[in-house]
Amino acid sequence: MKKALFAVVAVLFLVLSLGSAFAADKIVLRVGHTIAPDSHYQKGLEHFASLLKEKSGGQIEMQIFHSSQLGSERDVIEGVSMGTIEMTLVSSAPLANFTSSFLVFDLPFIIVNREKAYAWMDGPQGRKILDTLTPKNIIGLGIWENGFRMLTNSQKPVVAPEDMKGLKIRLMENPIHVGTFKTLGAYPTPMPFGELFTALQQKIVDGQENPLVIIYTSKFFEVQKHLALTGHFYAPAILLVNRDFWEKKLSDDQRKIFQECELASRKWERQYCIDMEKTLVNDLKAKGMEVSTPDKAKWAEAVQPVYKEFEGKIGKEIIQDLINAQK
């Protein structure tokens, strides 16, 4: 009887020991972003988290923090650099404050063919741009989708470039974005995304520009009457991870799993955005927004001085390479 009891205790001890070891080996990482819990960022990251959990046998857990819970985009980028946050998904525009290589994406109307641009971003040129973050203690995992940015405002319909004159527009903290809207005669006002809804509500700014999915999920239709389908900037989203976490906390096998899940999630999130955009214009009309469809060729011509202003900083070759890749 005693031997049997001892055997049971020994088995229980072994099970508990293995369970503790398993728990100790479990990797938990936090990923922060600034937009809504029903946004494309959130959906894509949830897909990523699910794949990671499945492929790693539950050994890698991703905790997602939306709506600027971990800070503004600049805050979370700096957090990933310092290692206080493991991962973030951010717009490419704020990364211009960390490396000038991302500025090529910010040129107005430079992206005209999404699929061909994807191939360029996923190829050697995109990797070269992502790798400029490595000295900042950041690994660029991949280029996801934010979308073509559209303009909203509370004052008047916008159709022609000259309609922009005098409008106070919230922008991200990015020199090309600011330069573009100055060229159009607007008053650019950089501010964190987390402050934007209140600023629109209180008429601190007249308008803003964001992809349709953000305009919808952030409920800007509640405080903005006019939507112009300008598509003036294409906004990729960049998935970043802390370099020390990547190189020291993950094994070779775990990094491989991570990369496979990231690639699958990147493709899933891009398609989610494309599918969602097909219905969003009608959805926003149903919410009371008045929609205009400007002639993009006229707008592209009006902002050509921006290319001249920034080509020295970005490099003529990479600008031309991205343009040629879409032909």
Side-chain angles (χ1 to χ4, degrees):
M1 186 70 179
K2 287 183 179 179
K3 287 183 179 179
L5 183 61
F6 179 80
V8 170
V9 171
V11 169
L12 286 172
F13 180 78
L14 180 61
V15 169
L16 289 171
S17 297
L18 288 172
S20 299
F22 183 84
D25 291 337
K26 185 174 182 178
I27 293 171
V28 179
L29 65 133
R30 295 157 300 158
V31 54
H33 68 88
T34 61
I35 52 179
D38 57 347
S39 66
H40 52 320
Y41 281 19
Q42 182 75 15
K43 298 298 184 184
L45 289 169
E46 286 174 355
H47 186 79
F48 191 7
S50 178
L51 286 181
L52 270 180
K53 184 177 180 180
E54 177 189 346
K55 298 291 185 183
S56 71
Q59 283 296 89
I60 304 176
E61 178 186 339
M62 182 189 295
Q63 297 177 349
I64 307 166
F65 297 85
H66 56 77
S67 307
S68 304
Q69 292 176 44
L70 301 183
S72 68
E73 288 199 313
R74 184 163 189 142
D75 291 335
V76 290
I77 295 167
E78 290 175 347
V80 169
S81 179
M82 293 185 291
T84 55
I85 304 169
E86 287 78 29
M87 200 162 78
T88 186
L89 184 62
V90 293
S91 305
S92 61
L95 289 168
N97 297 297
F98 297 82
T99 167
S100 62
S101 296
F102 285 89
L103 286 172
V104 69
F105 296 121
D106 298 312
L107 288 167
F109 302 102
I110 194 167
I111 303 292
V112 294
N113 185 307
R114 222 176 197 153
E115 293 299 327
K116 290 182 178 179
Y118 287 160
W120 190 89
M121 290 185 283
D122 293 343
Q125 286 285 25
R127 174 43 55 192
K128 187 177 177 181
I129 291 170
L130 289 171
D131 286 348
T132 62
L133 291 165
T134 306
K136 306 289 185 183
N137 204 35
I138 296 172
I139 300 292
L141 285 179
I143 301 175
W144 289 28
E145 175 89 348
N146 197 351
F148 287 96
R149 302 182 78 85
M150 310 298 181
L151 180 75
T152 71
N153 82 93
S154 59
Q155 299 300 313
K156 59 182 180 179
V158 169
V159 179
E162 50 266 30
D163 294 333
M164 291 298 298
K165 290 181 180 176
L167 287 177
K168 194 172 184 180
I169 305 295
R170 177 269 175 184
L171 301 174
M172 289 187 285
E173 188 181 349
N174 178 276
I176 295 182
H177 287 204
V178 171
T180 298
F181 276 78
K182 280 184 177 178
T183 299
L184 291 168
Y187 295 111
T189 308
M191 71 171 61
F193 185 82
E195 300 173 13
L196 177 53
F197 188 92
T198 301
L200 294 170
Q201 190 175 44
Q202 297 178 352
K203 303 265 192 296
I204 295 169
V205 291
D206 298 314
Q208 62 84 50
E209 45 85 57
N210 260 300
L212 291 174
V213 61
I214 294 181
I215 292 169
Y216 186 81
T217 58
S218 299
K219 296 181 170 51
F220 291 150
F221 51 79
E222 294 180 357
V223 287
Q224 299 275 272
K225 180 68 173 175
H226 305 284
L227 167 64
L229 302 178
T230 48
H232 48 278
F233 300 130
Y234 171 78
I238 315 299
L239 188 66
L240 309 174
V241 66
N242 173 260
R243 184 180 179 183
D244 291 333
F245 170 82
W246 181 255
E247 294 179 350
K248 298 174 183 177
K249 291 290 182 74
L250 299 178
S251 67
D252 290 343
D253 286 343
Q254 287 170 332
R255 278 192 291 273
K256 185 179 178 182
I257 289 170
F258 220 95
Q259 288 169 325
E260 289 172 354
C261 294
E262 185 278 322
L263 179 58
S265 301
R266 185 195 317 167
K267 292 177 179 178
W268 186 94
E269 191 260 358
R270 285 172 174 172
Q271 191 59 49
Y272 178 86
C273 291
I274 292 169
D275 292 342
M276 199 172 182
E277 282 179 6
K278 293 174 183 175
T279 63
L280 282 174
V281 172
N282 286 334
D283 291 344
L284 289 165
K285 284 180 179 177
K287 295 293 186 181
M289 296 197 85
E290 295 179 0
V291 180
S292 61
T293 308
D295 182 344
K296 292 182 183 180
K298 290 182 179 178
W299 284 68
E301 184 179 349
V303 296
Q304 280 306 300
V306 178
Y307 280 69
K308 291 293 182 185
E309 182 181 352
F310 288 95
E311 67 181 12
K313 190 168 186 179
I314 300 169
K316 286 184 181 181
E317 286 186 7
I318 193 168
I319 293 171
Q320 197 58 50
D321 193 65
L322 178 52
I323 292 170
N324 291 341
Q326 298 172 75
K327 291 180 179 177

